[in-house]
Each structure stands twice: as structure tokens, then as C-alpha cells.
Amino acid sequence: MIINFKVNDLSWNASVHQLNSDVLRRHVLINGKLDTLDVNFTYCEQSEKGIITNHNNKEIGHFSIID
């Protein structure tokens, strides 16, 4: 599956074989140019969209399945 990420002012697509927090975290930490390693993810299976938050529970980005 292809995931589209948008974090801060960056956007990219990534191919993943499974959707879990470890896979999401790896892509966000490598490509998102964050100043923290403490990120969390929420995901809605119905809409196939998720939100990325930092340690203060502030939204820093989002992601969605595009294929």
C-alpha cells in the first residue's frame, strides 16, 4: 500500500507492507525532520486517514492511504 504523509511543510509518499505505529514512526522520523522522537499516531479505518501528534498532543501532521 502507498501512504501519503504530510508533516510540517513536508509531504511524501511511501510504500509499506503493513500499517502499524512502528512503520509509521520510522517513515516520519526519517523524512519529517522533527525535533522530537516522541510522536503518536491515531488512525480511522473507515476514512483510511490518520493524525500525527507530538508529545504535547499537538497535531504536527497527518497521513492517508492512497493505494
Side-chain angles (χ1 to χ4, degrees):
M1 76 182 77
I2 306 293
I3 306 293
N4 175 261
F5 291 92
K6 292 186 180 178
V7 177
N8 297 322
D9 294 330
L10 302 172
S11 177
W12 70 94
N13 294 335
S15 177
V16 300
H17 295 290
Q18 62 182 6
L19 187 64
N20 62 45
S21 61
D22 291 336
V23 171
L24 294 171
R25 181 171 282 110
R26 180 171 43 97
H27 284 282
V28 169
L29 294 178
I30 290 171
N31 298 303
K33 301 189 192 255
L34 301 177
D35 58 357
T36 181
L37 300 178
D38 189 9
V39 293
N40 297 300
F41 305 92
T42 56
Y43 178 70
C44 174
E45 288 187 30
Q46 190 172 14
S47 67
E48 296 186 331
K49 295 180 180 180
I51 297 171
I52 306 164
T53 56
N54 65 10
H55 64 282
N56 293 324
N57 208 30
K58 179 183 173 199
E59 184 176 333
I60 58 172
H62 57 274
F63 62 96
S64 60
I65 297 175
I66 58 173
D67 186 27

Short mmCIF file of all heavy atoms in Angstrom, two decimals:
data_model
loop_
_atom_site.label_atom_id
_atom_site.label_comp_id
_atom_site.label_asym_id
_atom_site.label_seq_id
_atom_site.Cartn_x
_atom_site.Cartn_y
_atom_site.Cartn_z
N MET A 1 0.83 -1.18 0.00
CA MET A 1 0.00 0.00 0.00
C MET A 1 0.88 1.24 0.00
O MET A 1 2.02 1.19 0.43
CB MET A 1 -0.98 -0.03 1.18
CG MET A 1 -0.39 0.29 2.53
SD MET A 1 -1.56 0.19 3.90
CE MET A 1 -1.65 -1.57 4.10
N ILE A 2 0.32 2.33 -0.50
CA ILE A 2 1.03 3.60 -0.56
C ILE A 2 0.40 4.55 0.47
O ILE A 2 -0.82 4.72 0.50
CB ILE A 2 0.94 4.25 -1.96
CG1 ILE A 2 1.42 3.28 -3.04
CG2 ILE A 2 1.70 5.57 -2.00
CD1 ILE A 2 2.88 2.95 -2.97
N ILE A 3 1.25 5.14 1.29
CA ILE A 3 0.82 6.09 2.31
C ILE A 3 1.34 7.47 1.93
O ILE A 3 2.52 7.62 1.58
CB ILE A 3 1.38 5.72 3.70
CG1 ILE A 3 1.03 4.29 4.07
CG2 ILE A 3 0.90 6.70 4.76
CD1 ILE A 3 -0.41 4.02 4.29
N ASN A 4 0.48 8.47 2.00
CA ASN A 4 0.89 9.86 1.80
C ASN A 4 1.03 10.50 3.18
O ASN A 4 0.11 10.43 3.99
CB ASN A 4 -0.14 10.63 0.97
CG ASN A 4 0.22 12.09 0.87
OD1 ASN A 4 -0.32 12.92 1.59
ND2 ASN A 4 1.13 12.40 -0.03
N PHE A 5 2.19 11.07 3.44
CA PHE A 5 2.48 11.75 4.70
C PHE A 5 2.57 13.25 4.47
O PHE A 5 3.10 13.68 3.45
CB PHE A 5 3.84 11.30 5.25
CG PHE A 5 3.88 9.88 5.72
CD1 PHE A 5 4.26 8.87 4.87
CD2 PHE A 5 3.56 9.56 7.03
CE1 PHE A 5 4.33 7.56 5.30
CE2 PHE A 5 3.62 8.26 7.47
CZ PHE A 5 4.00 7.25 6.61
N LYS A 6 2.06 14.02 5.40
CA LYS A 6 2.26 15.48 5.43
C LYS A 6 2.63 15.84 6.85
O LYS A 6 1.83 15.68 7.77
CB LYS A 6 1.01 16.22 4.98
CG LYS A 6 0.72 15.99 3.51
CD LYS A 6 -0.41 16.82 3.00
CE LYS A 6 -0.59 16.48 1.51
NZ LYS A 6 -1.68 17.18 0.92
N VAL A 7 3.87 16.30 7.02
CA VAL A 7 4.38 16.67 8.35
C VAL A 7 5.03 18.03 8.22
O VAL A 7 5.93 18.23 7.40
CB VAL A 7 5.40 15.63 8.87
CG1 VAL A 7 5.97 16.07 10.20
CG2 VAL A 7 4.77 14.26 8.97
N ASN A 8 4.57 18.96 9.05
CA ASN A 8 5.02 20.35 8.97
C ASN A 8 4.85 20.83 7.53
O ASN A 8 3.75 20.78 7.00
CB ASN A 8 6.45 20.49 9.49
CG ASN A 8 6.54 20.12 10.97
OD1 ASN A 8 5.65 20.43 11.75
ND2 ASN A 8 7.61 19.46 11.34
N ASP A 9 5.89 21.24 6.87
CA ASP A 9 5.79 21.72 5.48
C ASP A 9 6.24 20.67 4.46
O ASP A 9 6.40 20.99 3.30
CB ASP A 9 6.62 22.99 5.30
CG ASP A 9 6.07 24.15 6.10
OD1 ASP A 9 4.86 24.20 6.31
OD2 ASP A 9 6.86 25.01 6.51
N LEU A 10 6.41 19.44 4.90
CA LEU A 10 6.91 18.39 4.03
C LEU A 10 5.79 17.42 3.66
O LEU A 10 4.89 17.16 4.45
CB LEU A 10 8.02 17.61 4.72
CG LEU A 10 9.23 18.43 5.16
CD1 LEU A 10 10.15 17.56 6.00
CD2 LEU A 10 9.97 18.94 3.94
N SER A 11 5.90 16.86 2.47
CA SER A 11 4.93 15.87 2.01
C SER A 11 5.69 14.81 1.21
O SER A 11 6.57 15.13 0.42
CB SER A 11 3.88 16.55 1.14
OG SER A 11 2.99 15.60 0.62
N TRP A 12 5.33 13.54 1.41
CA TRP A 12 5.96 12.46 0.66
C TRP A 12 5.06 11.24 0.68
O TRP A 12 4.16 11.12 1.51
CB TRP A 12 7.35 12.13 1.21
CG TRP A 12 7.34 11.47 2.56
CD1 TRP A 12 7.38 10.12 2.82
CD2 TRP A 12 7.28 12.10 3.84
NE1 TRP A 12 7.34 9.90 4.16
CE2 TRP A 12 7.29 11.10 4.81
CE3 TRP A 12 7.22 13.42 4.25
CZ2 TRP A 12 7.23 11.38 6.18
CZ3 TRP A 12 7.15 13.71 5.61
CH2 TRP A 12 7.18 12.68 6.56
N ASN A 13 5.31 10.33 -0.25
CA ASN A 13 4.62 9.05 -0.32
C ASN A 13 5.60 7.95 0.02
O ASN A 13 6.80 8.05 -0.28
CB ASN A 13 4.06 8.80 -1.72
CG ASN A 13 2.97 9.76 -2.08
OD1 ASN A 13 2.30 10.31 -1.22
ND2 ASN A 13 2.77 9.97 -3.37
N ALA A 14 5.08 6.90 0.63
CA ALA A 14 5.92 5.76 0.98
C ALA A 14 5.15 4.47 0.75
O ALA A 14 3.95 4.39 1.02
CB ALA A 14 6.35 5.85 2.44
N SER A 15 5.85 3.48 0.26
CA SER A 15 5.27 2.15 0.08
C SER A 15 5.51 1.34 1.35
O SER A 15 6.66 1.25 1.82
CB SER A 15 5.93 1.48 -1.12
OG SER A 15 5.45 0.17 -1.27
N VAL A 16 4.45 0.77 1.90
CA VAL A 16 4.57 -0.05 3.11
C VAL A 16 3.83 -1.36 2.90
O VAL A 16 2.88 -1.43 2.12
CB VAL A 16 4.03 0.69 4.36
CG1 VAL A 16 4.79 1.98 4.61
CG2 VAL A 16 2.55 0.96 4.25
N HIS A 17 4.26 -2.40 3.61
CA HIS A 17 3.62 -3.71 3.50
C HIS A 17 2.57 -3.91 4.58
O HIS A 17 1.66 -4.71 4.41
CB HIS A 17 4.66 -4.82 3.57
CG HIS A 17 5.60 -4.79 2.40
ND1 HIS A 17 5.21 -5.12 1.12
CD2 HIS A 17 6.89 -4.44 2.31
CE1 HIS A 17 6.24 -4.99 0.30
NE2 HIS A 17 7.27 -4.57 0.98
N GLN A 18 2.73 -3.20 5.69
CA GLN A 18 1.73 -3.26 6.75
C GLN A 18 1.67 -1.90 7.44
O GLN A 18 2.63 -1.15 7.44
CB GLN A 18 2.06 -4.36 7.75
CG GLN A 18 3.37 -4.17 8.49
CD GLN A 18 3.64 -5.33 9.44
OE1 GLN A 18 2.90 -6.30 9.46
NE2 GLN A 18 4.69 -5.23 10.22
N LEU A 19 0.50 -1.62 8.00
CA LEU A 19 0.29 -0.34 8.64
C LEU A 19 0.28 -0.54 10.15
O LEU A 19 -0.64 -1.16 10.70
CB LEU A 19 -1.05 0.26 8.18
CG LEU A 19 -1.36 1.66 8.64
CD1 LEU A 19 -0.35 2.64 8.06
CD2 LEU A 19 -2.76 2.05 8.22
N ASN A 20 1.34 -0.06 10.80
CA ASN A 20 1.41 -0.09 12.26
C ASN A 20 2.26 1.08 12.72
O ASN A 20 2.91 1.76 11.93
CB ASN A 20 1.92 -1.43 12.79
CG ASN A 20 3.32 -1.76 12.35
OD1 ASN A 20 4.21 -0.91 12.39
ND2 ASN A 20 3.54 -2.99 11.92
N SER A 21 2.24 1.34 14.02
CA SER A 21 2.93 2.53 14.54
C SER A 21 4.43 2.48 14.32
O SER A 21 5.04 3.53 14.09
CB SER A 21 2.60 2.73 16.02
OG SER A 21 3.05 1.64 16.78
N ASP A 22 5.05 1.31 14.35
CA ASP A 22 6.49 1.23 14.12
C ASP A 22 6.85 1.64 12.69
O ASP A 22 7.82 2.38 12.48
CB ASP A 22 7.00 -0.19 14.39
CG ASP A 22 6.96 -0.57 15.85
OD1 ASP A 22 6.99 0.34 16.70
OD2 ASP A 22 6.90 -1.78 16.15
N VAL A 23 6.08 1.19 11.73
CA VAL A 23 6.33 1.55 10.33
C VAL A 23 6.09 3.04 10.12
O VAL A 23 6.91 3.73 9.51
CB VAL A 23 5.43 0.71 9.39
CG1 VAL A 23 5.50 1.22 7.96
CG2 VAL A 23 5.81 -0.77 9.46
N LEU A 24 4.99 3.55 10.65
CA LEU A 24 4.69 4.98 10.53
C LEU A 24 5.77 5.82 11.18
O LEU A 24 6.24 6.80 10.61
CB LEU A 24 3.33 5.30 11.15
CG LEU A 24 2.11 4.69 10.47
CD1 LEU A 24 0.87 4.90 11.33
CD2 LEU A 24 1.93 5.23 9.07
N ARG A 25 6.18 5.45 12.39
CA ARG A 25 7.20 6.20 13.12
C ARG A 25 8.51 6.26 12.34
O ARG A 25 9.15 7.30 12.24
CB ARG A 25 7.42 5.59 14.51
CG ARG A 25 8.45 6.35 15.34
CD ARG A 25 8.50 5.85 16.78
NE ARG A 25 7.36 6.42 17.50
CZ ARG A 25 6.30 5.71 17.92
NH1 ARG A 25 6.25 4.43 17.73
NH2 ARG A 25 5.31 6.30 18.53
N ARG A 26 8.91 5.14 11.78
CA ARG A 26 10.16 5.09 11.01
C ARG A 26 10.13 6.07 9.85
O ARG A 26 11.07 6.84 9.65
CB ARG A 26 10.42 3.67 10.51
CG ARG A 26 11.70 3.55 9.70
CD ARG A 26 12.05 2.10 9.39
NE ARG A 26 10.93 1.29 9.00
CZ ARG A 26 10.59 1.02 7.73
NH1 ARG A 26 11.31 1.52 6.75
NH2 ARG A 26 9.56 0.27 7.46
N HIS A 27 9.03 6.08 9.11
CA HIS A 27 8.94 6.99 7.96
C HIS A 27 8.90 8.45 8.40
O HIS A 27 9.53 9.31 7.78
CB HIS A 27 7.72 6.65 7.11
CG HIS A 27 7.92 5.45 6.27
ND1 HIS A 27 8.64 5.46 5.10
CD2 HIS A 27 7.51 4.16 6.43
CE1 HIS A 27 8.67 4.26 4.57
NE2 HIS A 27 7.98 3.44 5.36
N VAL A 28 8.17 8.75 9.46
CA VAL A 28 8.06 10.13 9.94
C VAL A 28 9.39 10.62 10.50
O VAL A 28 9.81 11.75 10.24
CB VAL A 28 6.93 10.26 10.98
CG1 VAL A 28 6.97 11.60 11.68
CG2 VAL A 28 5.58 10.06 10.30
N LEU A 29 10.09 9.79 11.25
CA LEU A 29 11.36 10.22 11.84
C LEU A 29 12.44 10.40 10.78
O LEU A 29 13.27 11.31 10.88
CB LEU A 29 11.82 9.23 12.91
CG LEU A 29 10.94 9.16 14.16
CD1 LEU A 29 11.48 8.12 15.13
CD2 LEU A 29 10.81 10.51 14.83
N ILE A 30 12.44 9.56 9.76
CA ILE A 30 13.45 9.67 8.71
C ILE A 30 13.18 10.87 7.80
O ILE A 30 14.09 11.62 7.45
CB ILE A 30 13.52 8.37 7.87
CG1 ILE A 30 14.11 7.25 8.71
CG2 ILE A 30 14.33 8.57 6.60
CD1 ILE A 30 14.02 5.88 8.07
N ASN A 31 11.93 11.08 7.42
CA ASN A 31 11.60 12.09 6.41
C ASN A 31 11.00 13.38 6.95
O ASN A 31 10.97 14.37 6.24
CB ASN A 31 10.63 11.50 5.39
CG ASN A 31 11.22 10.34 4.65
OD1 ASN A 31 12.25 10.46 4.03
ND2 ASN A 31 10.58 9.18 4.74
N GLY A 32 10.52 13.37 8.18
CA GLY A 32 9.77 14.51 8.69
C GLY A 32 10.57 15.63 9.29
O GLY A 32 10.02 16.68 9.59
N LYS A 33 11.87 15.43 9.47
CA LYS A 33 12.75 16.46 10.03
C LYS A 33 12.18 17.05 11.32
O LYS A 33 12.04 18.26 11.48
CB LYS A 33 13.02 17.56 9.02
CG LYS A 33 13.67 17.01 7.76
CD LYS A 33 14.14 18.11 6.85
CE LYS A 33 14.51 17.53 5.53
NZ LYS A 33 15.84 17.41 5.19
N LEU A 34 11.86 16.15 12.25
CA LEU A 34 11.27 16.55 13.53
C LEU A 34 12.35 16.85 14.55
O LEU A 34 13.46 16.34 14.46
CB LEU A 34 10.36 15.45 14.06
CG LEU A 34 9.19 15.06 13.17
CD1 LEU A 34 8.43 13.90 13.79
CD2 LEU A 34 8.28 16.24 12.94
N ASP A 35 11.99 17.62 15.56
CA ASP A 35 12.92 17.91 16.65
C ASP A 35 12.65 17.02 17.86
O ASP A 35 13.21 17.24 18.92
CB ASP A 35 12.86 19.39 17.03
CG ASP A 35 11.47 19.82 17.45
OD1 ASP A 35 10.54 19.00 17.39
OD2 ASP A 35 11.33 21.00 17.83
N THR A 36 11.78 16.03 17.72
CA THR A 36 11.47 15.11 18.80
C THR A 36 11.29 13.70 18.24
O THR A 36 10.90 13.53 17.08
CB THR A 36 10.20 15.53 19.56
OG1 THR A 36 9.96 14.60 20.62
CG2 THR A 36 8.98 15.56 18.64
N LEU A 37 11.58 12.72 19.07
CA LEU A 37 11.36 11.33 18.68
C LEU A 37 10.02 10.83 19.21
O LEU A 37 9.59 9.74 18.87
CB LEU A 37 12.49 10.45 19.22
CG LEU A 37 13.89 10.78 18.74
CD1 LEU A 37 14.90 9.85 19.40
CD2 LEU A 37 13.99 10.68 17.23
N ASP A 38 9.38 11.62 20.06
CA ASP A 38 8.15 11.23 20.72
C ASP A 38 6.95 11.66 19.88
O ASP A 38 6.44 12.77 20.00
CB ASP A 38 8.09 11.87 22.11
CG ASP A 38 6.96 11.34 22.94
OD1 ASP A 38 6.31 10.36 22.52
OD2 ASP A 38 6.71 11.92 24.01
N VAL A 39 6.51 10.78 18.98
CA VAL A 39 5.36 11.05 18.13
C VAL A 39 4.32 9.95 18.33
O VAL A 39 4.66 8.81 18.66
CB VAL A 39 5.74 11.15 16.64
CG1 VAL A 39 6.59 12.36 16.38
CG2 VAL A 39 6.43 9.91 16.15
N ASN A 40 3.07 10.31 18.15
CA ASN A 40 1.97 9.36 18.31
C ASN A 40 1.08 9.41 17.08
O ASN A 40 1.05 10.42 16.35
CB ASN A 40 1.15 9.72 19.55
CG ASN A 40 1.97 9.60 20.80
OD1 ASN A 40 2.47 8.54 21.12
ND2 ASN A 40 2.12 10.70 21.51
N PHE A 41 0.34 8.34 16.87
CA PHE A 41 -0.50 8.21 15.69
C PHE A 41 -1.90 7.78 16.09
O PHE A 41 -2.05 6.91 16.95
CB PHE A 41 0.09 7.17 14.73
CG PHE A 41 1.50 7.44 14.34
CD1 PHE A 41 2.55 6.90 15.05
CD2 PHE A 41 1.79 8.26 13.26
CE1 PHE A 41 3.86 7.15 14.71
CE2 PHE A 41 3.09 8.52 12.91
CZ PHE A 41 4.13 7.97 13.63
N THR A 42 -2.90 8.39 15.48
CA THR A 42 -4.27 7.89 15.57
C THR A 42 -4.72 7.62 14.15
O THR A 42 -4.32 8.32 13.21
CB THR A 42 -5.22 8.91 16.24
OG1 THR A 42 -5.15 10.14 15.54
CG2 THR A 42 -4.82 9.14 17.69
N TYR A 43 -5.55 6.60 13.99
CA TYR A 43 -5.94 6.18 12.65
C TYR A 43 -7.40 5.77 12.63
O TYR A 43 -7.88 5.08 13.54
CB TYR A 43 -5.06 4.99 12.20
CG TYR A 43 -5.42 4.45 10.85
CD1 TYR A 43 -5.17 5.18 9.71
CD2 TYR A 43 -6.00 3.20 10.72
CE1 TYR A 43 -5.49 4.68 8.45
CE2 TYR A 43 -6.32 2.68 9.47
CZ TYR A 43 -6.07 3.43 8.35
OH TYR A 43 -6.40 2.94 7.12
N CYS A 44 -8.12 6.20 11.61
CA CYS A 44 -9.51 5.83 11.40
C CYS A 44 -9.56 4.85 10.22
O CYS A 44 -9.25 5.24 9.09
CB CYS A 44 -10.36 7.07 11.11
SG CYS A 44 -12.07 6.68 10.66
N GLU A 45 -9.96 3.62 10.48
CA GLU A 45 -10.02 2.62 9.41
C GLU A 45 -11.07 2.95 8.37
O GLU A 45 -10.90 2.66 7.19
CB GLU A 45 -10.27 1.24 10.00
CG GLU A 45 -9.07 0.69 10.74
CD GLU A 45 -9.26 -0.74 11.17
OE1 GLU A 45 -9.98 -1.48 10.48
OE2 GLU A 45 -8.68 -1.12 12.19
N GLN A 46 -12.15 3.57 8.78
CA GLN A 46 -13.23 3.88 7.85
C GLN A 46 -12.80 4.91 6.80
O GLN A 46 -13.05 4.74 5.62
CB GLN A 46 -14.44 4.39 8.61
CG GLN A 46 -15.68 4.52 7.78
CD GLN A 46 -16.89 4.84 8.63
OE1 GLN A 46 -16.79 5.23 9.78
NE2 GLN A 46 -18.06 4.68 8.04
N SER A 47 -12.13 5.97 7.24
CA SER A 47 -11.69 7.01 6.30
C SER A 47 -10.31 6.74 5.73
O SER A 47 -9.90 7.40 4.77
CB SER A 47 -11.68 8.37 6.99
OG SER A 47 -10.68 8.42 8.00
N GLU A 48 -9.57 5.79 6.32
CA GLU A 48 -8.20 5.46 5.93
C GLU A 48 -7.28 6.66 6.08
O GLU A 48 -6.38 6.88 5.28
CB GLU A 48 -8.14 4.88 4.52
CG GLU A 48 -8.86 3.56 4.39
CD GLU A 48 -8.69 2.90 3.05
OE1 GLU A 48 -8.50 3.60 2.03
OE2 GLU A 48 -8.73 1.66 3.02
N LYS A 49 -7.52 7.48 7.12
CA LYS A 49 -6.71 8.65 7.41
C LYS A 49 -6.29 8.65 8.86
O LYS A 49 -6.97 8.09 9.72
CB LYS A 49 -7.49 9.93 7.12
CG LYS A 49 -7.84 10.08 5.65
CD LYS A 49 -8.62 11.34 5.40
CE LYS A 49 -8.95 11.45 3.91
NZ LYS A 49 -9.70 12.66 3.62
N GLY A 50 -5.15 9.29 9.12
CA GLY A 50 -4.65 9.36 10.48
C GLY A 50 -4.02 10.70 10.79
O GLY A 50 -3.72 11.49 9.89
N ILE A 51 -3.82 10.93 12.08
CA ILE A 51 -3.23 12.17 12.57
C ILE A 51 -1.94 11.84 13.30
O ILE A 51 -1.85 10.85 14.02
CB ILE A 51 -4.20 12.90 13.50
CG1 ILE A 51 -5.46 13.30 12.73
CG2 ILE A 51 -3.56 14.14 14.12
CD1 ILE A 51 -6.57 13.82 13.60
N ILE A 52 -0.94 12.69 13.13
CA ILE A 52 0.35 12.56 13.80
C ILE A 52 0.44 13.68 14.83
O ILE A 52 0.24 14.84 14.49
CB ILE A 52 1.52 12.67 12.80
CG1 ILE A 52 1.34 11.68 11.66
CG2 ILE A 52 2.86 12.46 13.51
CD1 ILE A 52 2.21 11.95 10.45
N THR A 53 0.72 13.32 16.08
CA THR A 53 0.83 14.31 17.15
C THR A 53 2.18 14.20 17.83
O THR A 53 2.82 13.14 17.80
CB THR A 53 -0.29 14.15 18.20
OG1 THR A 53 -0.25 12.81 18.72
CG2 THR A 53 -1.66 14.43 17.60
N ASN A 54 2.59 15.29 18.49
CA ASN A 54 3.85 15.28 19.24
C ASN A 54 3.58 14.94 20.71
O ASN A 54 2.45 14.61 21.08
CB ASN A 54 4.60 16.60 19.09
CG ASN A 54 3.87 17.78 19.70
OD1 ASN A 54 2.88 17.64 20.42
ND2 ASN A 54 4.34 18.98 19.40
N HIS A 55 4.60 15.06 21.54
CA HIS A 55 4.49 14.69 22.95
C HIS A 55 3.52 15.58 23.72
O HIS A 55 3.03 15.19 24.77
CB HIS A 55 5.87 14.70 23.61
CG HIS A 55 6.51 16.05 23.63
ND1 HIS A 55 7.10 16.60 22.51
CD2 HIS A 55 6.61 16.96 24.60
CE1 HIS A 55 7.55 17.80 22.82
NE2 HIS A 55 7.27 18.05 24.08
N ASN A 56 3.20 16.75 23.20
CA ASN A 56 2.22 17.65 23.82
C ASN A 56 0.82 17.43 23.26
O ASN A 56 -0.08 18.22 23.51
CB ASN A 56 2.61 19.10 23.61
CG ASN A 56 3.86 19.47 24.34
OD1 ASN A 56 4.11 18.98 25.45
ND2 ASN A 56 4.68 20.31 23.75
N ASN A 57 0.65 16.37 22.50
CA ASN A 57 -0.61 16.04 21.85
C ASN A 57 -1.05 17.11 20.85
O ASN A 57 -2.23 17.27 20.57
CB ASN A 57 -1.72 15.77 22.88
CG ASN A 57 -2.76 14.82 22.33
OD1 ASN A 57 -2.45 13.96 21.52
ND2 ASN A 57 -3.98 14.97 22.79
N LYS A 58 -0.09 17.84 20.31
CA LYS A 58 -0.35 18.85 19.28
C LYS A 58 -0.19 18.20 17.91
O LYS A 58 0.79 17.50 17.65
CB LYS A 58 0.63 20.01 19.42
CG LYS A 58 0.44 21.09 18.38
CD LYS A 58 1.48 22.19 18.50
CE LYS A 58 1.34 23.15 17.33
NZ LYS A 58 2.53 23.95 17.13
N GLU A 59 -1.14 18.44 17.02
CA GLU A 59 -1.07 17.87 15.68
C GLU A 59 0.09 18.48 14.91
O GLU A 59 0.21 19.69 14.79
CB GLU A 59 -2.37 18.13 14.93
CG GLU A 59 -2.38 17.46 13.58
CD GLU A 59 -3.70 17.60 12.83
OE1 GLU A 59 -4.74 17.75 13.49
OE2 GLU A 59 -3.65 17.58 11.59
N ILE A 60 0.95 17.61 14.39
CA ILE A 60 2.09 18.06 13.59
C ILE A 60 2.00 17.56 12.15
O ILE A 60 2.83 17.92 11.33
CB ILE A 60 3.44 17.62 14.22
CG1 ILE A 60 3.50 16.11 14.37
CG2 ILE A 60 3.65 18.33 15.54
CD1 ILE A 60 4.84 15.57 14.81
N GLY A 61 1.01 16.72 11.86
CA GLY A 61 0.86 16.23 10.51
C GLY A 61 -0.26 15.21 10.41
O GLY A 61 -0.98 14.95 11.37
N HIS A 62 -0.38 14.65 9.22
CA HIS A 62 -1.37 13.62 9.00
C HIS A 62 -0.90 12.67 7.90
O HIS A 62 0.09 12.95 7.21
CB HIS A 62 -2.74 14.23 8.67
CG HIS A 62 -2.74 15.13 7.48
ND1 HIS A 62 -2.43 16.46 7.56
CD2 HIS A 62 -3.00 14.89 6.19
CE1 HIS A 62 -2.52 17.00 6.36
NE2 HIS A 62 -2.85 16.06 5.52
N PHE A 63 -1.60 11.57 7.75
CA PHE A 63 -1.26 10.59 6.73
C PHE A 63 -2.54 9.94 6.23
O PHE A 63 -3.58 9.97 6.90
CB PHE A 63 -0.29 9.53 7.28
CG PHE A 63 -0.83 8.72 8.42
CD1 PHE A 63 -1.41 7.49 8.20
CD2 PHE A 63 -0.76 9.18 9.72
CE1 PHE A 63 -1.92 6.74 9.24
CE2 PHE A 63 -1.26 8.44 10.78
CZ PHE A 63 -1.84 7.22 10.55
N SER A 64 -2.46 9.37 5.03
CA SER A 64 -3.62 8.68 4.48
C SER A 64 -3.15 7.61 3.50
O SER A 64 -2.09 7.73 2.90
CB SER A 64 -4.55 9.68 3.77
OG SER A 64 -3.87 10.33 2.73
N ILE A 65 -3.98 6.59 3.37
CA ILE A 65 -3.72 5.54 2.39
C ILE A 65 -4.22 6.03 1.05
O ILE A 65 -5.38 6.46 0.93
CB ILE A 65 -4.42 4.23 2.79
CG1 ILE A 65 -3.86 3.71 4.11
CG2 ILE A 65 -4.27 3.19 1.69
CD1 ILE A 65 -4.57 2.49 4.65
N ILE A 66 -3.36 5.99 0.04
CA ILE A 66 -3.78 6.46 -1.28
C ILE A 66 -3.85 5.32 -2.30
O ILE A 66 -4.36 5.51 -3.39
CB ILE A 66 -2.90 7.62 -1.80
CG1 ILE A 66 -1.43 7.21 -1.87
CG2 ILE A 66 -3.07 8.84 -0.93
CD1 ILE A 66 -0.56 8.26 -2.55
N ASP A 67 -3.34 4.15 -1.93
CA ASP A 67 -3.43 2.99 -2.85
C ASP A 67 -3.17 1.72 -2.10
O ASP A 67 -2.32 1.62 -1.28
CB ASP A 67 -2.43 3.16 -4.00
CG ASP A 67 -2.57 2.07 -5.04
OD1 ASP A 67 -3.67 1.52 -5.20
OD2 ASP A 67 -1.58 1.79 -5.73
#
